[in-house]
Amino acid sequence: MSDTTISLTELEEAINYWRIQRPATGEECALSPEVNALADVYAMMIIEHLHNVAADAIGKEPRQLFDAWRKARAGQSA
């Protein structure tokens, strides 16, 4: 894997991207699995006062979601 880091700002952008792709559902406005997976990483970063986290340290599912967001973002600017 790579030594890429994820900033808190990038993670917020990725969460917002997935919130648009998969909005909250039901009367309780439950988060989608995608948003929930990234929100867990976000919460960990806030609790530990981290501004960046190693991409390899966040787990497979959140990493795949983050990478998909980066790919979508790169496609928009092309």
Side-chain angles (χ1 to χ4, degrees):
M1 295 236 181
S2 72
D3 60 353
T4 304
T5 61
I6 298 170
S7 72
L8 196 55
T9 302
E10 287 178 311
L11 189 56
E12 289 170 347
E13 291 176 16
I15 289 169
N16 287 331
Y17 168 81
W18 284 105
R19 286 182 57 221
I20 292 167
Q21 301 304 308
R22 298 282 313 268
T25 58
E27 286 184 34
E28 69 283 356
C29 293
L31 297 176
S32 68
E34 294 85 356
V35 173
N36 199 39
L38 292 171
D40 287 344
V41 176
Y42 184 82
M44 180 270 306
M45 290 177 73
I46 295 297
I47 289 168
E48 295 184 16
H49 304 284
L50 300 174
H51 296 282
N52 296 291
V53 67
D56 293 344
I58 68 170
K60 184 178 178 181
E61 182 183 9
R63 173 66 188 263
Q64 289 173 338
L65 294 165
F66 186 81
D67 289 344
W69 164 76
R70 272 195 173 154
K71 188 174 182 180
R73 181 181 68 169
Q76 291 174 351
S77 62

